[in-house]
Amino acid sequence: MNDVLYLFGEGDSATFKLNLDTMAKHSGQPKPPANAKDTYMVFTVKIEKVLKKAAGEADTTFQKKAQEFFQKDYQATIAKLKDSEAGKIKKFVEDNNLKTQTTASGLQYVINTPGSAQKPVAGDTIMLNYTGKLLPKKANGKDNIFDTSIESVAKEAGKYNAMAKYAPRPFTIGAAIPGFDEAYQLIGKGGKITVIIPSALGYGEGGQPQAGISPFSPLCFEIEVVDIKKPTAGATIAPITPTAPVK
């Protein structure tokens, strides 16, 4: 890929289709587990900016100049993402005709099915089905799904992973991003809720690159509480370390 990039200029783009068996052979590394059944790995690349090294310019000087440029460019991109977050949320609510309520933390939600009177409490294991979406929708109008526990949804969205276990997944209060934790506590067993999570209650200014979540990304989740399991008598509840930044 690096050799071919020299053929392109600013604004050019290309798609690379790399044979996974060939990559494994030349790198000495096994095929990634998530791609075990695939033949190719596909990358789409766009050349946004090319910095030219001046004649006679020292490598260290050029590297410093490049680093300063890209740092400034990155900061400008982050600022743009931050400034656009409120607009993304507003447009998503309007486009989907959602009549949301808002909690004190800033979480917006619509309870589709309230469920039973039994609500999750600390120490419970909550079995959830969920689908997470990025805002806004894709250019073709389809939901921009980044994760789901539902196999049919994953296949339809092109996110199916043969290594994943599609079924209601267990959660305990405090183990997920704050907005997700707050959301499922608003409904009981059998309940369903649609929530819009601002980045302050999600992955914040760091995002979650592995899932394709950019900094300052608001998220939408469709959540169903399938079951609430109480801890067994005498069981010790282990302390929980949040997996995402807290507001």
Side-chain angles (χ1 to χ4, degrees), residues 129-130 148-151 160-170:
N129 265 328
Y130 67 88
T148 182
S149 64
I150 305 170
E151 184 174 353
Y160 179 74
N161 182 351
M163 305 298 290
K165 182 179 180 181
Y166 291 100
R169 296 177 184 171

Side-chain angles (χ1 to χ4, degrees), residues 138 143 145 148 151-161 166:
K138 294 181 178 180
D143 288 329
I145 293 172
T148 182
E151 184 174 353
S152 60
V153 174
K155 288 182 175 178
E156 184 177 353
K159 295 291 183 179
Y160 179 74
N161 182 351
Y166 291 100

Side-chain angles (χ1 to χ4, degrees), residues 44-210:
T44 299
V45 178
K46 181 180 180 181
I47 309 301
E48 296 286 355
K49 182 70 178 177
V50 176
L51 294 184
K52 296 291 187 180
K53 183 180 177 183
E57 185 176 19
D59 287 344
T60 53
T61 302
F62 176 72
Q63 289 168 4
K64 182 179 179 181
K65 180 175 69 176
Q67 185 178 23
E68 290 174 348
F69 173 85
F70 288 115
Q71 181 63 28
K72 183 178 180 180
D73 183 70
Y74 174 77
Q75 290 173 347
T77 299
I78 294 300
K80 185 177 179 180
L81 290 171
K82 183 177 182 180
D83 292 342
S84 67
E85 180 175 0
K88 289 178 182 178
I89 293 175
K90 183 174 184 294
K91 187 175 188 306
F92 186 84
V93 170
E94 292 175 349
D95 288 350
N96 290 276
N97 297 313
L98 298 176
K99 305 298 182 183
T100 62
Q101 300 182 65
T102 305
T103 68
S105 70
L107 182 79
Q108 294 189 47
Y109 68 95
V110 176
I111 294 178
N112 305 307
T113 305
S116 69
Q118 180 189 2
K119 298 288 198 303
V121 297
D124 290 346
T125 297
I126 306 100
M127 304 300 296
L128 303 177
N129 265 328
Y130 67 88
T131 296
K133 310 171 185 178
L134 298 173
L135 279 56
K137 293 186 175 183
K138 294 181 178 180
N140 60 8
K142 291 186 177 182
D143 288 329
N144 196 353
I145 293 172
F146 67 89
D147 189 22
T148 182
S149 64
I150 305 170
E151 184 174 353
S152 60
V153 174
K155 288 182 175 178
E156 184 177 353
K159 295 291 183 179
Y160 179 74
N161 182 351
M163 305 298 290
K165 182 179 180 181
Y166 291 100
R169 296 177 184 171
F171 287 84
T172 53
I173 295 174
I177 55 174
F180 191 88
D181 270 340
E182 183 179 0
Y184 62 71
Q185 292 181 73
L186 295 172
I187 53 178
K189 181 178 177 179
K192 297 181 180 181
I193 189 170
T194 299
V195 292
I196 299 171
I197 302 176
S199 64
L201 299 175
Y203 294 99
E205 61 182 308
Q208 187 77 342
Q210 305 95 307

